[in-house]
């Protein structure tokens, strides 16, 4: 028996809260892969709205319990719901959620006791009676974890600068007045490509731990030396640290280029949501991350990147806006051109419902880096400064419940003070996605 959404249970019990839906960009897995804090799940969004007229402390307990359920932390949710019932014995939603959670955990005797409490205390309407009967019919044998989620995407695209060729065909070394024309392989080259991406998320327990696997493969029609593949495997755990919500992620990744191992990655990220009273529909989180990158064939380019930032989300029934800003420090190995560098990253993402089965996305990102030393002393004495901006727009159309088409247009402008690294790129891509979400 599948648990009905929190908003449905609450509305059937007379709490009169609106349902919300999340629109998320799940169609593309970038290479190299970088973990980012996942958007809040639909049930958690409903939880944010599912707040009856409670005193502040009890309201926070109810919010935390519903969020724990949405993150698969059933045991934690049970403890929070029991604390809430102790404080407010007439909270019908808490009694019912606790009963269903105990049933899913396999505690049949306790679940039956709680179901009877709901029936005798609150005289539930027919819809809730049907929910209780359905869970009783399962025998409360226990559902150790939620069902896994998966996605498979097949795509076709075209990029007018697959090799990130420089936009300036001429280059002059700092210690020379001679101007050199770059060879054709350093100029922009267009090509079409095929791609396959897949993701698999499996809850590992009832305390909010997820196993994550992501795959990405891109093959070009002509420039096969630009073919790339990525594999990432990781763990994510959600919990509460006092009144703070926390989510920790750790992952390892491999990237191949031209059928050879190009990069190894180790990533860790912590996301903390402080116990702040924000305006309705807003959610704020602080983030900290560490990424270690190793290049088997180019060890001088090995680096560790540290990041501190924040994420602000705004959600309504039809729209979601996500804004992020972070400071970054990238520490390279001895001998890396330009040495260490520091910078910042900012992004703005908007997801919206356009109509029945039709969704739109618009995103803008900007990455700034400044190196600490001249790039190549004696040859290129400039301290490298990079400003890369990417604008993307996409439309997703659900043909059927689990099948969708995703059309994306992307424009990248990489502005640098060293002309050798300047490039522009425009790409269009069409994906067919199959998922069980």
């Amino acid at each position: 028996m599948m648990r009905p959404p929190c908003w449905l249970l609450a509305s059937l019990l007379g709490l009169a809260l609106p349902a919300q839906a999340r629109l998320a960009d799940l169609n593309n897995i970038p290479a190299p892969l970088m973990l980012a804090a996942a958007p809040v799940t639909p049930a958690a969004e409903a939880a944010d709205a599912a707040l009856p007229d409670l005193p502040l402390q009890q309201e926070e307990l109810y919010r935390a319990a519903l969020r724990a359920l949405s993150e698969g932390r059933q045991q934690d949710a049970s403890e929070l719901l029991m604390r809430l019932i102790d404080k407010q014995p007439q909270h019908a939603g808490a009694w019912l959620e606790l009963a269903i959670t105990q049933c899913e955990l396999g505690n049949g005797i306790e679940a039956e006791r709680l179901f009877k409490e709901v029936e005798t205390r609150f005289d539930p309407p027919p819809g809730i009676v049907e929910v209780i009967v359905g869970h009783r019919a399962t025998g409360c044998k226990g559902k150790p974890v939620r069902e896994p989620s998966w996605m498979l995407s097949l795509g076709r695209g075209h990029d007018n600068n697959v090799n990130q060729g420089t936009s300036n065909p001429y280059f002059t070394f700092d210690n020379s007045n001679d101007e050199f024309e770059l060879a054709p392989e350093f100029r922009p080259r267009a090509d079409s490509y095929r791609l396959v991406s897949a993701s698999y998320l499996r809850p590992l327990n009832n305390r909010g731990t997820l196993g994550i696997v992501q795959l990405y493969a891109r093959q070009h029609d002509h420039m096969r030396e630009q073919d790339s593949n990525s594999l990432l495997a990781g763990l994510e755990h959600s919990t509460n640290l006092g009144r703070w919500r926390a989510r920790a992620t750790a992952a390892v990744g491999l990237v191949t280029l031209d059928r050879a191992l190009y990069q190894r990655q180790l990533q860790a990220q912590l996301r903390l949501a402080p116990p702040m009273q924000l305006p309705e529909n807003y959610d704020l989180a602080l983030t900290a991350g560490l990424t270690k990158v190793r290049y088997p064939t180019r060890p001088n380019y090995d680096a560790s990147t540290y990041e501190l930032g924040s994420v602000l989300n705004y959600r309504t029934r039809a729209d979601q806006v996500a804004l992020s800003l972070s400071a970054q420090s990238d520490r390279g190995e001895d001998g890396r051109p330009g040495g260490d560098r520091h910078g910042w990253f900012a992004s703005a993402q908007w997801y919206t419902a356009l109509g029945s089965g039709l969704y739109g996305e618009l995103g803008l990102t900007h990455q700034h880096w400044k190196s600490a030393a001249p790039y190549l002393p004696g040859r290129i004495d400039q301290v490298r400064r990079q400003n890369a901006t990417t604008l993307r727009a996409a439309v997703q159309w659900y043909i059927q419940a689990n099948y969708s088409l995703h059309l994306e247009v992307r424009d990248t402008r990489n502005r640098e003070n060293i002309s050798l690294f300047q490039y522009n790129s425009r790409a269009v891509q069409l994906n067919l996605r199959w998922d069980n979400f």
Side-chain angles (χ1 to χ4, degrees), residues 65-94:
L66 294 179
R67 189 175 294 275
L69 288 172
S70 74
E71 294 172 349
R73 296 184 288 117
Q74 293 168 300
Q75 195 63 50
D76 291 346
S78 293
E79 296 170 3
L80 291 166
L81 290 167
M82 285 188 285
R83 288 170 55 191
L84 177 57
I85 288 172
D86 285 341
K87 294 177 179 294
Q88 192 187 35
Q90 296 305 312
H91 193 296

PDB file of all heavy atoms in Angstrom, residues 65-94:
ATOM      1  N   ALA A  65       9.000  16.540  10.822  1.00  0.00           N
ATOM      2  CA  ALA A  65       8.539  15.161  10.657  1.00  0.00           C
ATOM      3  C   ALA A  65       8.154  14.868   9.210  1.00  0.00           C
ATOM      4  O   ALA A  65       8.523  13.832   8.645  1.00  0.00           O
ATOM      5  CB  ALA A  65       7.352  14.891  11.584  1.00  0.00           C
ATOM      6  N   LEU A  66       7.403  15.786   8.589  1.00  0.00           N
ATOM      7  CA  LEU A  66       6.997  15.573   7.202  1.00  0.00           C
ATOM      8  C   LEU A  66       8.193  15.593   6.264  1.00  0.00           C
ATOM      9  O   LEU A  66       8.262  14.830   5.292  1.00  0.00           O
ATOM     10  CB  LEU A  66       5.977  16.630   6.792  1.00  0.00           C
ATOM     11  CG  LEU A  66       4.622  16.561   7.511  1.00  0.00           C
ATOM     12  CD1 LEU A  66       3.711  17.670   7.026  1.00  0.00           C
ATOM     13  CD2 LEU A  66       3.965  15.207   7.305  1.00  0.00           C
ATOM     14  N   ARG A  67       9.161  16.444   6.554  1.00  0.00           N
ATOM     15  CA  ARG A  67      10.357  16.472   5.722  1.00  0.00           C
ATOM     16  C   ARG A  67      11.145  15.174   5.887  1.00  0.00           C
ATOM     17  O   ARG A  67      11.705  14.645   4.928  1.00  0.00           O
ATOM     18  CB  ARG A  67      11.228  17.683   6.075  1.00  0.00           C
ATOM     19  CG  ARG A  67      12.373  17.900   5.103  1.00  0.00           C
ATOM     20  CD  ARG A  67      13.125  19.176   5.441  1.00  0.00           C
ATOM     21  NE  ARG A  67      12.308  20.354   5.244  1.00  0.00           N
ATOM     22  CZ  ARG A  67      12.174  20.964   4.070  1.00  0.00           C
ATOM     23  NH1 ARG A  67      12.769  20.483   3.007  1.00  0.00           N
ATOM     24  NH2 ARG A  67      11.427  22.040   3.966  1.00  0.00           N
ATOM     25  N   ALA A  68      11.225  14.671   7.115  1.00  0.00           N
ATOM     26  CA  ALA A  68      11.926  13.403   7.333  1.00  0.00           C
ATOM     27  C   ALA A  68      11.259  12.275   6.548  1.00  0.00           C
ATOM     28  O   ALA A  68      11.936  11.425   5.968  1.00  0.00           O
ATOM     29  CB  ALA A  68      11.948  13.071   8.826  1.00  0.00           C
ATOM     30  N   LEU A  69       9.923  12.261   6.509  1.00  0.00           N
ATOM     31  CA  LEU A  69       9.222  11.250   5.720  1.00  0.00           C
ATOM     32  C   LEU A  69       9.560  11.380   4.243  1.00  0.00           C
ATOM     33  O   LEU A  69       9.789  10.386   3.545  1.00  0.00           O
ATOM     34  CB  LEU A  69       7.710  11.371   5.925  1.00  0.00           C
ATOM     35  CG  LEU A  69       7.169  10.915   7.286  1.00  0.00           C
ATOM     36  CD1 LEU A  69       5.691  11.274   7.406  1.00  0.00           C
ATOM     37  CD2 LEU A  69       7.371   9.415   7.461  1.00  0.00           C
ATOM     38  N   SER A  70       9.600  12.617   3.740  1.00  0.00           N
ATOM     39  CA  SER A  70       9.883  12.818   2.325  1.00  0.00           C
ATOM     40  C   SER A  70      11.303  12.397   1.976  1.00  0.00           C
ATOM     41  O   SER A  70      11.596  12.051   0.836  1.00  0.00           O
ATOM     42  CB  SER A  70       9.671  14.281   1.945  1.00  0.00           C
ATOM     43  OG  SER A  70      10.712  15.092   2.423  1.00  0.00           O
ATOM     44  N   GLU A  71      12.219  12.421   2.959  1.00  0.00           N
ATOM     45  CA  GLU A  71      13.608  12.042   2.725  1.00  0.00           C
ATOM     46  C   GLU A  71      13.878  10.590   3.057  1.00  0.00           C
ATOM     47  O   GLU A  71      15.016  10.133   3.004  1.00  0.00           O
ATOM     48  CB  GLU A  71      14.519  12.943   3.573  1.00  0.00           C
ATOM     49  CG  GLU A  71      14.480  14.414   3.147  1.00  0.00           C
ATOM     50  CD  GLU A  71      15.225  15.322   4.093  1.00  0.00           C
ATOM     51  OE1 GLU A  71      15.600  14.855   5.198  1.00  0.00           O
ATOM     52  OE2 GLU A  71      15.447  16.496   3.751  1.00  0.00           O
ATOM     53  N   GLY A  72      12.827   9.826   3.414  1.00  0.00           N
ATOM     54  CA  GLY A  72      13.002   8.406   3.686  1.00  0.00           C
ATOM     55  C   GLY A  72      13.482   8.091   5.097  1.00  0.00           C
ATOM     56  O   GLY A  72      13.868   6.962   5.371  1.00  0.00           O
ATOM     57  N   ARG A  73      13.457   9.066   6.008  1.00  0.00           N
ATOM     58  CA  ARG A  73      13.911   8.840   7.376  1.00  0.00           C
ATOM     59  C   ARG A  73      12.708   8.527   8.260  1.00  0.00           C
ATOM     60  O   ARG A  73      12.286   9.329   9.087  1.00  0.00           O
ATOM     61  CB  ARG A  73      14.681  10.069   7.880  1.00  0.00           C
ATOM     62  CG  ARG A  73      15.950  10.345   7.104  1.00  0.00           C
ATOM     63  CD  ARG A  73      16.741  11.509   7.675  1.00  0.00           C
ATOM     64  NE  ARG A  73      16.102  12.789   7.409  1.00  0.00           N
ATOM     65  CZ  ARG A  73      15.646  13.606   8.335  1.00  0.00           C
ATOM     66  NH1 ARG A  73      15.703  13.264   9.615  1.00  0.00           N
ATOM     67  NH2 ARG A  73      15.102  14.765   8.000  1.00  0.00           N
ATOM     68  N   GLN A  74      12.166   7.332   8.070  1.00  0.00           N
ATOM     69  CA  GLN A  74      10.938   6.975   8.767  1.00  0.00           C
ATOM     70  C   GLN A  74      11.120   6.878  10.271  1.00  0.00           C
ATOM     71  O   GLN A  74      10.232   7.247  11.039  1.00  0.00           O
ATOM     72  CB  GLN A  74      10.390   5.662   8.204  1.00  0.00           C
ATOM     73  CG  GLN A  74       9.921   5.783   6.755  1.00  0.00           C
ATOM     74  CD  GLN A  74       9.665   4.433   6.146  1.00  0.00           C
ATOM     75  OE1 GLN A  74      10.555   3.583   6.044  1.00  0.00           O
ATOM     76  NE2 GLN A  74       8.438   4.216   5.714  1.00  0.00           N
ATOM     77  N   GLN A  75      12.268   6.350  10.720  1.00  0.00           N
ATOM     78  CA  GLN A  75      12.494   6.226  12.150  1.00  0.00           C
ATOM     79  C   GLN A  75      12.575   7.600  12.799  1.00  0.00           C
ATOM     80  O   GLN A  75      11.989   7.848  13.856  1.00  0.00           O
ATOM     81  CB  GLN A  75      13.784   5.439  12.398  1.00  0.00           C
ATOM     82  CG  GLN A  75      13.927   4.945  13.835  1.00  0.00           C
ATOM     83  CD  GLN A  75      12.822   3.968  14.218  1.00  0.00           C
ATOM     84  OE1 GLN A  75      12.547   3.011  13.499  1.00  0.00           O
ATOM     85  NE2 GLN A  75      12.189   4.213  15.365  1.00  0.00           N
ATOM     86  N   ASP A  76      13.302   8.523  12.157  1.00  0.00           N
ATOM     87  CA  ASP A  76      13.382   9.880  12.690  1.00  0.00           C
ATOM     88  C   ASP A  76      12.005  10.540  12.697  1.00  0.00           C
ATOM     89  O   ASP A  76      11.646  11.250  13.640  1.00  0.00           O
ATOM     90  CB  ASP A  76      14.344  10.720  11.850  1.00  0.00           C
ATOM     91  CG  ASP A  76      15.789  10.287  12.013  1.00  0.00           C
ATOM     92  OD1 ASP A  76      16.072   9.525  12.954  1.00  0.00           O
ATOM     93  OD2 ASP A  76      16.625  10.694  11.185  1.00  0.00           O
ATOM     94  N   ALA A  77      11.236  10.307  11.618  1.00  0.00           N
ATOM     95  CA  ALA A  77       9.897  10.887  11.542  1.00  0.00           C
ATOM     96  C   ALA A  77       9.019  10.371  12.676  1.00  0.00           C
ATOM     97  O   ALA A  77       8.239  11.138  13.264  1.00  0.00           O
ATOM     98  CB  ALA A  77       9.264  10.570  10.192  1.00  0.00           C
ATOM     99  N   SER A  78       9.124   9.094  12.981  1.00  0.00           N
ATOM    100  CA  SER A  78       8.329   8.521  14.071  1.00  0.00           C
ATOM    101  C   SER A  78       8.626   9.214  15.393  1.00  0.00           C
ATOM    102  O   SER A  78       7.719   9.557  16.165  1.00  0.00           O
ATOM    103  CB  SER A  78       8.606   7.021  14.200  1.00  0.00           C
ATOM    104  OG  SER A  78       8.135   6.320  13.080  1.00  0.00           O
ATOM    105  N   GLU A  79       9.908   9.437  15.672  1.00  0.00           N
ATOM    106  CA  GLU A  79      10.277  10.082  16.923  1.00  0.00           C
ATOM    107  C   GLU A  79       9.737  11.510  16.988  1.00  0.00           C
ATOM    108  O   GLU A  79       9.248  11.965  18.033  1.00  0.00           O
ATOM    109  CB  GLU A  79      11.802  10.066  17.064  1.00  0.00           C
ATOM    110  CG  GLU A  79      12.380   8.656  17.180  1.00  0.00           C
ATOM    111  CD  GLU A  79      13.890   8.629  17.080  1.00  0.00           C
ATOM    112  OE1 GLU A  79      14.499   9.732  16.982  1.00  0.00           O
ATOM    113  OE2 GLU A  79      14.468   7.536  17.086  1.00  0.00           O
ATOM    114  N   LEU A  80       9.814  12.233  15.876  1.00  0.00           N
ATOM    115  CA  LEU A  80       9.305  13.607  15.849  1.00  0.00           C
ATOM    116  C   LEU A  80       7.791  13.644  16.007  1.00  0.00           C
ATOM    117  O   LEU A  80       7.243  14.507  16.709  1.00  0.00           O
ATOM    118  CB  LEU A  80       9.718  14.275  14.534  1.00  0.00           C
ATOM    119  CG  LEU A  80      11.214  14.561  14.377  1.00  0.00           C
ATOM    120  CD1 LEU A  80      11.536  14.902  12.925  1.00  0.00           C
ATOM    121  CD2 LEU A  80      11.639  15.697  15.293  1.00  0.00           C
ATOM    122  N   LEU A  81       7.087  12.718  15.349  1.00  0.00           N
ATOM    123  CA  LEU A  81       5.638  12.681  15.448  1.00  0.00           C
ATOM    124  C   LEU A  81       5.177  12.336  16.868  1.00  0.00           C
ATOM    125  O   LEU A  81       4.185  12.889  17.371  1.00  0.00           O
ATOM    126  CB  LEU A  81       5.073  11.677  14.447  1.00  0.00           C
ATOM    127  CG  LEU A  81       5.176  12.091  12.974  1.00  0.00           C
ATOM    128  CD1 LEU A  81       4.878  10.897  12.062  1.00  0.00           C
ATOM    129  CD2 LEU A  81       4.223  13.242  12.658  1.00  0.00           C
ATOM    130  N   MET A  82       5.894  11.440  17.532  1.00  0.00           N
ATOM    131  CA  MET A  82       5.540  11.097  18.914  1.00  0.00           C
ATOM    132  C   MET A  82       5.738  12.295  19.836  1.00  0.00           C
ATOM    133  O   MET A  82       4.930  12.546  20.740  1.00  0.00           O
ATOM    134  CB  MET A  82       6.369   9.902  19.384  1.00  0.00           C
ATOM    135  CG  MET A  82       5.891   8.574  18.794  1.00  0.00           C
ATOM    136  SD  MET A  82       6.696   7.106  19.494  1.00  0.00           S
ATOM    137  CE  MET A  82       8.291   7.186  18.703  1.00  0.00           C
ATOM    138  N   ARG A  83       6.807  13.071  19.605  1.00  0.00           N
ATOM    139  CA  ARG A  83       7.011  14.283  20.397  1.00  0.00           C
ATOM    140  C   ARG A  83       5.886  15.284  20.154  1.00  0.00           C
ATOM    141  O   ARG A  83       5.416  15.944  21.085  1.00  0.00           O
ATOM    142  CB  ARG A  83       8.371  14.905  20.051  1.00  0.00           C
ATOM    143  CG  ARG A  83       9.558  14.116  20.579  1.00  0.00           C
ATOM    144  CD  ARG A  83      10.859  14.652  19.999  1.00  0.00           C
ATOM    145  NE  ARG A  83      11.005  16.091  20.242  1.00  0.00           N
ATOM    146  CZ  ARG A  83      11.946  16.837  19.658  1.00  0.00           C
ATOM    147  NH1 ARG A  83      12.795  16.283  18.798  1.00  0.00           N
ATOM    148  NH2 ARG A  83      12.028  18.140  19.930  1.00  0.00           N
ATOM    149  N   LEU A  84       5.444  15.401  18.903  1.00  0.00           N
ATOM    150  CA  LEU A  84       4.371  16.332  18.582  1.00  0.00           C
ATOM    151  C   LEU A  84       3.063  15.901  19.244  1.00  0.00           C
ATOM    152  O   LEU A  84       2.325  16.736  19.800  1.00  0.00           O
ATOM    153  CB  LEU A  84       4.199  16.422  17.061  1.00  0.00           C
ATOM    154  CG  LEU A  84       3.055  17.300  16.565  1.00  0.00           C
ATOM    155  CD1 LEU A  84       3.189  18.729  17.099  1.00  0.00           C
ATOM    156  CD2 LEU A  84       3.010  17.306  15.041  1.00  0.00           C
ATOM    157  N   ILE A  85       2.758  14.596  19.216  1.00  0.00           N
ATOM    158  CA  ILE A  85       1.523  14.104  19.828  1.00  0.00           C
ATOM    159  C   ILE A  85       1.538  14.337  21.338  1.00  0.00           C
ATOM    160  O   ILE A  85       0.507  14.650  21.948  1.00  0.00           O
ATOM    161  CB  ILE A  85       1.337  12.613  19.487  1.00  0.00           C
ATOM    162  CG1 ILE A  85       0.961  12.463  18.006  1.00  0.00           C
ATOM    163  CG2 ILE A  85       0.268  11.971  20.377  1.00  0.00           C
ATOM    164  CD1 ILE A  85       0.941  11.039  17.518  1.00  0.00           C
ATOM    165  N   ASP A  86       2.728  14.210  21.948  1.00  0.00           N
ATOM    166  CA  ASP A  86       2.825  14.490  23.387  1.00  0.00           C
ATOM    167  C   ASP A  86       2.452  15.937  23.685  1.00  0.00           C
ATOM    168  O   ASP A  86       1.836  16.236  24.720  1.00  0.00           O
ATOM    169  CB  ASP A  86       4.247  14.218  23.879  1.00  0.00           C
ATOM    170  CG  ASP A  86       4.534  12.728  23.987  1.00  0.00           C
ATOM    171  OD1 ASP A  86       3.560  11.940  24.033  1.00  0.00           O
ATOM    172  OD2 ASP A  86       5.720  12.356  24.004  1.00  0.00           O
ATOM    173  N   LYS A  87       2.822  16.846  22.777  1.00  0.00           N
ATOM    174  CA  LYS A  87       2.559  18.262  22.993  1.00  0.00           C
ATOM    175  C   LYS A  87       1.144  18.652  22.578  1.00  0.00           C
ATOM    176  O   LYS A  87       0.548  19.554  23.160  1.00  0.00           O
ATOM    177  CB  LYS A  87       3.569  19.116  22.217  1.00  0.00           C
ATOM    178  CG  LYS A  87       5.008  18.984  22.705  1.00  0.00           C
ATOM    179  CD  LYS A  87       5.955  19.796  21.844  1.00  0.00           C
ATOM    180  CE  LYS A  87       7.380  19.686  22.339  1.00  0.00           C
ATOM    181  NZ  LYS A  87       7.555  20.316  23.674  1.00  0.00           N
ATOM    182  N   GLN A  88       0.623  17.976  21.522  1.00  0.00           N
ATOM    183  CA  GLN A  88      -0.723  18.301  21.046  1.00  0.00           C
ATOM    184  C   GLN A  88      -1.466  16.999  20.713  1.00  0.00           C
ATOM    185  O   GLN A  88      -1.463  16.539  19.568  1.00  0.00           O
ATOM    186  CB  GLN A  88      -0.675  19.200  19.814  1.00  0.00           C
ATOM    187  CG  GLN A  88      -2.053  19.780  19.501  1.00  0.00           C
ATOM    188  CD  GLN A  88      -2.059  20.540  18.191  1.00  0.00           C
ATOM    189  OE1 GLN A  88      -1.379  20.162  17.250  1.00  0.00           O
ATOM    190  NE2 GLN A  88      -2.859  21.588  18.117  1.00  0.00           N
ATOM    191  N   PRO A  89      -2.098  16.379  21.707  1.00  0.00           N
ATOM    192  CA  PRO A  89      -2.747  15.069  21.518  1.00  0.00           C
ATOM    193  C   PRO A  89      -3.870  15.085  20.484  1.00  0.00           C
ATOM    194  O   PRO A  89      -4.246  14.018  19.992  1.00  0.00           O
ATOM    195  CB  PRO A  89      -3.287  14.732  22.912  1.00  0.00           C
ATOM    196  CG  PRO A  89      -2.470  15.568  23.846  1.00  0.00           C
ATOM    197  CD  PRO A  89      -2.171  16.832  23.103  1.00  0.00           C
ATOM    198  N   GLN A  90      -4.421  16.239  20.141  1.00  0.00           N
ATOM    199  CA  GLN A  90      -5.541  16.285  19.199  1.00  0.00           C
ATOM    200  C   GLN A  90      -5.090  16.559  17.753  1.00  0.00           C
ATOM    201  O   GLN A  90      -5.917  16.914  16.917  1.00  0.00           O
ATOM    202  CB  GLN A  90      -6.535  17.364  19.639  1.00  0.00           C
ATOM    203  CG  GLN A  90      -7.195  17.078  20.973  1.00  0.00           C
ATOM    204  CD  GLN A  90      -7.886  15.707  20.969  1.00  0.00           C
ATOM    205  OE1 GLN A  90      -8.631  15.371  20.056  1.00  0.00           O
ATOM    206  NE2 GLN A  90      -7.624  14.923  22.016  1.00  0.00           N
ATOM    207  N   HIS A  91      -3.818  16.386  17.462  1.00  0.00           N
ATOM    208  CA  HIS A  91      -3.321  16.608  16.106  1.00  0.00           C
ATOM    209  C   HIS A  91      -3.580  15.351  15.273  1.00  0.00           C
ATOM    210  O   HIS A  91      -2.821  14.380  15.307  1.00  0.00           O
ATOM    211  CB  HIS A  91      -1.828  16.940  16.128  1.00  0.00           C
ATOM    212  CG  HIS A  91      -1.318  17.481  14.823  1.00  0.00           C
ATOM    213  ND1 HIS A  91      -1.309  16.747  13.669  1.00  0.00           N
ATOM    214  CD2 HIS A  91      -0.812  18.698  14.504  1.00  0.00           C
ATOM    215  CE1 HIS A  91      -0.808  17.463  12.688  1.00  0.00           C
ATOM    216  NE2 HIS A  91      -0.503  18.673  13.173  1.00  0.00           N
ATOM    217  N   ALA A  92      -4.677  15.355  14.502  1.00  0.00           N
ATOM    218  CA  ALA A  92      -5.094  14.159  13.759  1.00  0.00           C
ATOM    219  C   ALA A  92      -4.062  13.742  12.728  1.00  0.00           C
ATOM    220  O   ALA A  92      -3.787  12.542  12.548  1.00  0.00           O
ATOM    221  CB  ALA A  92      -6.438  14.432  13.075  1.00  0.00           C
ATOM    222  N   GLY A  93      -3.473  14.702  12.023  1.00  0.00           N
ATOM    223  CA  GLY A  93      -2.501  14.367  10.994  1.00  0.00           C
ATOM    224  C   GLY A  93      -1.297  13.653  11.551  1.00  0.00           C
ATOM    225  O   GLY A  93      -0.781  12.704  10.955  1.00  0.00           O
ATOM    226  N   ALA A  94      -0.817  14.087  12.726  1.00  0.00           N
ATOM    227  CA  ALA A  94       0.340  13.442  13.343  1.00  0.00           C
ATOM    228  C   ALA A  94       0.025  12.001  13.738  1.00  0.00           C
ATOM    229  O   ALA A  94       0.843  11.094  13.536  1.00  0.00           O
ATOM    230  CB  ALA A  94       0.789  14.247  14.561  1.00  0.00           C
TER     231      ALA A  94
END
